[in-house]
């Protein structure tokens, strides 16, 4: 929930920053270790900043207190925040934008466009990829019926073997070539 918005143009910053002060809604706090909803312990004492997506020519930072929760399993820990991953200095939206940009351009271009170091852009992209991989189900989960088709995709004799999940109607794998050996790759 947004509490306040202001422009910080102090001499300590190289450029003015749009600061958005946010706080978590009551009853929405979760333990950062086990992920379960927990009762708030206190509002926390530390103020934390996350880099967010730019707003036009303005650099945007989210600013919030780090609330803590009292978890019977984990003890008193910092609450999980929906806007950022634990230990990250960047908001999830910024990380998603950076990962997309590194997918369509190189890390150096992404870094200069987003005003972060190229290594930081690479680290963010790796972190987002790991998060997506962990949340994505395997295409083999619940697989009961498949369809296999060998078809040509160029004039001449260039073929591809496609394996499709028949119930979900989506491609599971595609391999160059035809025959038992190529289908054997899928079976492995």
């Amino acid at each position: 929930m947004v509490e306040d918005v202001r422009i910080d143009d102090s001499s300590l910053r190289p450029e003015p920053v749009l600061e958005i002060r946010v706080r978590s809604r009551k009853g929405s706090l979760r333990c950062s270790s086990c992920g379960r909803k927990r009762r708030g312990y206190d509002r926390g004492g530390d103020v934390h900043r996350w880099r967010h997506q730019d707003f036009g020519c303005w650099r945007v930072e989210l600013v919030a207190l780090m609330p803590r929760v009292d978890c019977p399993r984990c003890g008193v820990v910092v609450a999980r925040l929906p806007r950022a991953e634990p230990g990250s200095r960047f908001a999830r939206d910024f990380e998603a934008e950076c990962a997309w940009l590194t997918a369509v351009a190189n890390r150096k271009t992404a870094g200069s466009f987003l005003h972060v170091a190229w290594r930081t852009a690479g680290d963010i992209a790796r972190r987002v990829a790991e998060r997506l991989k962990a949340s994505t189900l395997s295409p083999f989960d619940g697989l009961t019926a498949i369809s296999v088709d060998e078809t040509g995709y160029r004039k001449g004799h260039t073929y591809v073997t496609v394996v499709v999940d028949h119930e979900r109607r989506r491609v599971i794998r595609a391999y160059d070539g035809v025959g038992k050996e190529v289908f054997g790759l899928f079976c492995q």
Side-chain angles (χ1 to χ4, degrees), residues 10-65:
S10 70
S11 60
L12 300 175
R13 293 185 177 271
E15 60 197 21
V17 174
L18 184 64
E19 280 188 358
I20 302 174
R21 294 196 176 275
V22 294
R23 67 174 169 84
S24 298
R25 295 175 192 254
K26 289 184 179 178
S28 66
L29 297 177
R30 293 184 175 271
C31 175
S32 58
S33 299
C34 65
R36 295 190 176 170
K37 278 190 174 183
R38 297 297 182 205
R39 216 171 23 93
Y41 181 75
D42 64 8
R43 290 189 48 122
D46 297 337
V47 174
H48 199 80
R49 296 174 178 274
W50 298 271
R51 171 79 188 276
H52 198 352
Q53 292 172 302
D54 292 346
F55 182 69
C57 62
W58 296 97
R59 178 182 168 142
V60 178
E61 288 182 358
L62 300 178
V63 181
L65 289 172

Side-chain angles (χ1 to χ4, degrees), residues 55-173:
F55 182 69
C57 62
W58 296 97
R59 178 182 168 142
V60 178
E61 288 182 358
L62 300 178
V63 181
L65 289 172
M66 297 292 288
R68 297 188 298 173
V69 294
D70 187 10
C71 181
R73 289 170 126 188
C74 311
V76 177
V77 295
V78 174
R80 177 183 291 172
L81 300 171
R83 56 194 151 267
E85 288 296 312
S88 177
R89 299 176 299 133
F90 304 97
R92 280 197 175 124
D93 293 337
F94 183 87
E95 288 187 343
E97 181 183 17
C98 184
W100 172 82
L101 198 54
T102 55
V104 297
N106 61 35
R107 291 187 301 179
K108 187 174 181 182
T109 303
S112 64
F113 184 76
L114 297 173
H115 307 289
V116 295
W118 65 270
R119 286 189 178 164
T120 304
D123 292 342
I124 289 172
R126 208 171 297 109
R127 189 167 47 241
V128 170
E130 289 169 2
R131 189 167 58 232
L132 288 174
K133 188 177 180 182
S135 68
T136 304
L137 296 174
S138 168
F140 301 106
D141 289 346
L143 185 63
T144 56
I146 63 170
S147 299
V148 180
D149 187 21
E150 297 172 340
T151 184
Y153 66 94
R154 283 201 179 134
K155 203 172 193 178
H157 300 287
T158 307
Y159 293 93
V160 65
T161 300
V162 181
V163 182
V164 177
D165 182 345
H166 208 54
E167 293 174 348
R168 294 182 213 151
R169 298 178 179 166
R170 65 180 184 189
V171 174
I172 298 172
R173 293 276 197 266

